[in-house]
Amino acid sequence: MSSLANKVAIVTGASSGIGRAAAKLFAAEGAKLVVSARRQAELDELVTEIEEAGAAAIAVAGDIKAEATARRLVDVAKERFGGLDVAFNNAGATGEMGSVPDISVAGWDETLATNLTSAFLNARHQIPAMVERGGGSLIFTSTFVGYSIGFPGLGAYAASKAGLIGLAQVIAAEFGAQRIRANALLPGGTDTPAGRTVISTPEMRKFVEGLHALKRLAEPEEIARSALYLASDASSFMTGSALLVDGGISVART
Ligand code: NAP
């Protein structure tokens, strides 16, 4: 099974959690990878693991808020691997938490820049590269928060992540004729460092686990498998969608 054979993929937020798991899975499925995040050492370790497994990857460290990072990721994909087919725009952060009137304007701006404007900047460079290639798949990591549930304390995060769904819809409509697909992936609570910023105590963890119909958090690998689905031809007729992979948190009421 090599569902991404001969494909070149960018994965952002690859130093940890969902992005790291997706990078390893995409590589195992035959993709050549450009992996990105701010922490160089973690990226280098990931590249070594991928290479030891017999696949190809290159690390590009940078802040996702900077357009220079977006441009460089696409340039490296083209220079090193000949083009771009898949972009898993996954880097993100919970940002400043608090009731909406208490969120600082600086915290709001930082969260929007990290989670939403970064996606626009990346798409700006990824789409023309995919048009040159004759098609491609963009995936944006959104969340159930702000889509199916108004989780208290996460106003800036919810707004930034809901914006990704709108962005994916418009890209889908604008570039479908050029065989470019764009979808949002909406994970439920996932056991990663970012997930644990919301879950600060064992009691909180139990509470959040209990909100899910499946009564647990996801492992990053479970979300990575859904990203692979959206990246590969398995989802060839899927575009402009918001794919909930949320353990049933959106439907559970106990
Ligand atoms: P994670 O393990 O903390 O990973 C977050 C990744 O984003 C890291 O690789 C981090 O790398 C990168 N990142 C954050 N800010 C960045 C910046 N300014 N520039 C470049 N890279 C940056 O958490 P995760 O749960 O896997 O998060 C991945 C995505 O899933 C995020 O968009 C998150 O919002 C979303 N999500 C998570 C959950 C959950 O419960 N965990 C649920 C729904 C959605 P560096 O620190 O090395 O820069």
Side-chain angles (χ1 to χ4, degrees), residues 12-20 36-40 42-43 62-65 69 89-94 110 114-115 141-145 157 161 164 185-196 199 217 220:
T12 71
S15 61
S16 171
I18 294 167
R20 188 176 205 285
S36 189
R38 289 165 299 186
R39 287 171 291 169
Q40 181 82 56
E42 280 77 356
L43 291 178
D63 193 317
I64 205 68
K65 297 193 293 298
T69 305
N89 294 304
N90 164 76
T94 309
E110 170 76 16
T114 302
N115 293 343
T141 307
S142 177
T143 171
F144 66 94
V145 178
Y157 181 71
K161 291 292 188 177
L164 292 174
L185 175 59
L186 282 57
T190 307
D191 198 5
T192 67
R196 290 190 286 271
I199 302 168
L217 301 179

Side-chain angles (χ1 to χ4, degrees), residues 93-118:
T94 309
E96 186 175 320
M97 291 187 271
S99 182
V100 169
D102 298 330
I103 296 173
S104 69
V105 174
W108 172 273
D109 287 346
E110 170 76 16
T111 308
L112 272 283
T114 302
N115 293 343
L116 181 56
T117 308
S118 68

Side-chain angles (χ1 to χ4, degrees), residues 13-244:
S15 61
S16 171
I18 294 167
R20 188 176 205 285
K24 290 177 70 172
L25 182 60
F26 287 13
E29 289 290 324
K32 299 184 185 75
L33 286 178
V34 181
V35 292
S36 189
R38 289 165 299 186
R39 287 171 291 169
Q40 181 82 56
E42 280 77 356
L43 291 178
D44 289 344
E45 198 180 297
L46 172 65
V47 167
T48 303
E49 272 184 49
I50 289 172
E51 286 176 345
E52 281 173 2
I58 180 161
V60 175
D63 193 317
I64 205 68
K65 297 193 293 298
E67 184 166 15
T69 305
R71 186 182 296 113
R72 177 127 179 79
L73 290 175
V74 173
D75 286 349
V76 169
K78 286 182 177 178
E79 286 159 17
R80 294 293 293 267
F81 300 131
L84 179 66
D85 304 290
V86 170
F88 185 28
N89 294 304
N90 164 76
T94 309
E96 186 175 320
M97 291 187 271
S99 182
V100 169
D102 298 330
I103 296 173
S104 69
V105 174
W108 172 273
D109 287 346
E110 170 76 16
T111 308
L112 272 283
T114 302
N115 293 343
L116 181 56
T117 308
S118 68
F120 157 67
L121 295 173
N122 276 278
R124 235 174 143 236
H125 292 273
Q126 292 160 357
I127 291 167
M130 290 182 185
V131 170
E132 279 171 27
R133 193 84 155 167
S137 173
L138 295 109
I139 303 139
F140 300 96
T141 307
S142 177
T143 171
F144 66 94
V145 178
Y147 176 76
S148 52
I149 294 187
F151 206 100
L154 293 176
Y157 181 71
S160 66
K161 291 292 188 177
L164 292 174
I165 299 171
L167 180 66
Q169 288 181 353
V170 172
I171 294 170
E174 287 183 347
F175 292 95
Q178 280 129 301
R179 298 166 53 88
I180 291 174
R181 300 186 295 113
N183 293 286
L185 175 59
L186 282 57
T190 307
D191 198 5
T192 67
R196 290 190 286 271
T197 59
V198 183
I199 302 168
S200 44
T201 62
E203 293 73 33
M204 184 63 174
R205 184 182 172 111
K206 207 164 170 37
F207 171 72
V208 173
E209 284 175 346
L211 295 174
H212 296 76
L214 294 177
K215 305 300 173 199
R216 65 177 178 87
L217 301 179
E219 292 302 323
E221 290 74 16
E222 296 181 279
I223 308 303
R225 286 199 291 274
S226 301
L228 174 64
Y229 169 69
L230 292 174
S232 74
D233 286 345
S235 62
S236 55
F237 202 57
M238 191 162 173
T239 194
S241 290
L243 179 62
L244 277 167

